[in-house]
Amino acid sequence: MYQPIVWNKDHIRILDQTKLPHQEVYIECRDLETVADAIRRLAIRGAPALGVVAALAMVLASQRSSCKNREEFFRELNHNSAYILMTRPTAVNMKWALQRLTDTLRKTDTGDVNHLKELLEQEALAIFQDDIEANRQISAYGQELVPDRATIVTICNTGSLATAGYGTAFGVMRAAHEAGKKILVVSCETRPLLQGCRLTAWELQKNNIPFVLITDSMAGYYMKKKGADLVIIGADRIAANGDTANKIGSYGLAILAHHHHIPFYVAAPVSTIDCDTCQGDDIPIEERSPDEVTCIGNQKIAPNGARVWNPAFDVVPYCFIAGIITEKGILRPPYTESIKKQCGNVRPRTMVN
């Protein structure tokens, strides 16, 4: 089975998702800059995966560090954290992972820089392993919501490619399939970069899960003509009121599900919950290059000079969400209460200087 992220002590081995589904090519990232470039150009993507890779990137940076004392070490760690955070502003998992690293190291009183480097690597690897375990728990809770012979609609990619392993929304479908349920996954292609077409379809084939691929604009008509039992998406950031930022197209899918009386679920680890963000309107939404819309691959498809708006994400209002599936259980409305209760177990987001 494929491993999207592999730690090899002095480098991170990343499966380049821009090459899928036709080529399985790995990138060896040996420094912070190479990791940042991989994140920017979406060679690695998916909020949980970004948290893991950001943590491991701090280890790579520390291996090259010439810091002499504790103060210099933390100053450099904060600088490197700020640098990697600038690559993708919407997904909160990177900020969560980097804060967890800082918190763990701050709890020690050692001034030995080599010891700090060892602790940094230990905590980064713990974040890696914790994400895999969280995925498994999310999937176990979520698959209980899936009836036998269910048709499940999803968008973008939330599988092993988007996490440290197994998947979130994809993991729910995978766990239902592994439990012997006869499911059919309807994968929206996910314009403009076609993650549902290139990545989710590839992972569904790898896991022998039956699926149908549709364009994003076909979702409503599919629901009307063929029906669906539930919609499950992932998340890049969940606000304190339950509003959820996810891949562009998620908002429209939620409206369609609501109109057709189909329950709409979000599957994400608690590290995706940002209790410091009150509502969806406060979530920063990344806007990407116009070329992603005007071109498919290297082929220009739009006329020269066409104006483009290309937000990478939109926000699903909490009122459309039937439940948020986490590794701690399924959060239910009212989310201001269920999330507030859960946030007692979520680390603060404010970066330590």
Side-chain angles (χ1 to χ4, degrees):
M1 189 57 73
Y2 53 100
Q3 289 184 283
I5 306 169
V6 179
W7 174 245
N8 281 329
K9 295 299 287 183
D10 65 345
H11 68 276
I12 312 168
R13 194 166 179 259
I14 294 173
L15 179 59
D16 187 347
Q17 296 181 32
T18 67
K19 304 295 185 183
L20 293 173
H22 302 301
Q23 299 179 64
E24 294 182 28
V25 177
Y26 282 84
I27 307 165
E28 291 189 357
C29 299
R30 297 182 179 274
D31 54 49
L32 186 63
E33 291 73 23
T34 308
V35 176
D37 178 68
I39 293 171
R40 285 191 200 96
R41 62 185 188 82
L42 306 185
I44 182 73
R45 27 106 1 238
L50 293 180
V52 170
V53 168
L56 294 174
M58 294 304 104
V59 180
L60 291 180
S62 75
Q63 291 175 349
R64 294 168 171 262
S65 173
S66 58
C67 292
K68 304 298 184 186
N69 56 56
R70 179 184 174 91
E71 182 179 353
E72 287 182 7
F73 182 86
F74 277 102
R75 188 182 303 119
E76 187 173 271
L77 177 61
N78 287 335
H79 173 79
N80 291 336
S81 296
Y83 173 76
I84 206 78
L85 281 172
M86 289 191 297
T87 58
R88 301 295 305 275
T90 301
V92 77
N93 302 63
M94 285 201 292
K95 191 173 182 181
W96 171 85
L98 296 170
Q99 184 65 56
R100 175 170 161 177
L101 291 178
T102 302
D103 287 349
T104 299
L105 296 183
R106 288 282 185 188
K107 289 175 183 176
T108 71
D109 57 5
T110 182
D112 186 334
V113 172
N114 287 330
H115 189 211
L116 287 170
K117 291 180 180 180
E118 291 172 3
L119 293 174
L120 184 68
E121 182 176 2
Q122 289 173 17
E123 191 64 16
L125 292 176
I127 290 170
F128 195 156
Q129 188 58 42
D130 287 352
D131 186 68
I132 297 173
E133 293 174 4
N135 282 200
R136 292 280 187 176
Q137 286 298 316
I138 289 167
S139 302
Y141 284 118
Q143 75 91 14
E144 294 179 1
L145 300 170
V146 179
D148 193 19
R149 302 190 180 280
T151 295
I152 305 168
V153 181
T154 193
I155 192 167
C156 200
N157 173 261
T158 57
S160 292
L161 294 173
T163 65
Y166 203 77
T168 54
F170 185 95
V172 172
M173 298 176 259
R174 184 174 174 181
H177 175 72
E178 290 173 354
K181 296 178 181 179
K182 306 297 183 184
I183 65 169
L184 174 68
V185 176
V186 180
S187 179
C188 296
E189 64 171 351
T190 320
R191 279 283 286 150
L193 294 180
L194 304 173
Q195 292 96 327
C197 177
R198 296 186 303 104
L199 307 180
T200 298
W202 182 79
E203 288 204 76
L204 288 165
Q205 281 190 337
K206 287 280 189 180
N207 288 276
N208 297 312
I209 300 173
F211 72 94
V212 173
L213 181 64
I214 63 172
T215 67
D216 300 342
S217 55
M218 293 175 185
Y221 197 57
Y222 189 98
M223 291 175 184
K224 179 180 179 179
K225 299 298 288 184
K226 295 183 176 292
D229 296 283
L230 64 163
V231 177
I232 314 177
I233 67 166
D236 285 80
R237 187 182 304 214
I238 300 170
N241 71 340
D243 289 349
T244 297
N246 192 54
K247 182 54 59 187
I248 192 72
S250 298
Y251 178 35
L253 200 57
I255 293 171
L256 291 169
H258 178 75
H259 178 77
H260 290 92
H261 309 290
I262 299 168
F264 185 99
Y265 292 97
V266 172
V270 294
S271 58
T272 308
I273 299 172
D274 184 0
C275 291
D276 290 340
T277 297
C278 295
Q279 59 187 359
D281 286 345
D282 301 325
I283 297 173
I285 299 298
E286 176 187 2
E287 294 189 22
R288 295 184 60 82
S289 169
D291 291 346
E292 294 180 352
V293 176
T294 59
C295 302
I296 294 182
N298 296 322
Q299 180 65 49
K300 187 77 174 288
I301 59 172
N304 292 330
R307 294 179 63 186
V308 173
W309 183 48
N310 185 24
F313 306 95
D314 56 25
V315 177
V316 178
Y318 69 86
C319 58
F320 292 134
I321 300 171
I324 299 172
I325 309 163
T326 78
E327 71 270 33
K328 303 297 183 182
I330 301 173
L331 306 183
R332 298 286 189 177
Y335 294 113
T336 50
E337 295 179 13
S338 57
I339 287 178
K340 184 177 180 180
K341 183 178 179 181
Q342 186 58 63
C343 271
N345 298 320
V346 178
R347 296 169 186 258
R349 302 279 189 224
T350 305
M351 292 299 292
V352 178
N353 293 317

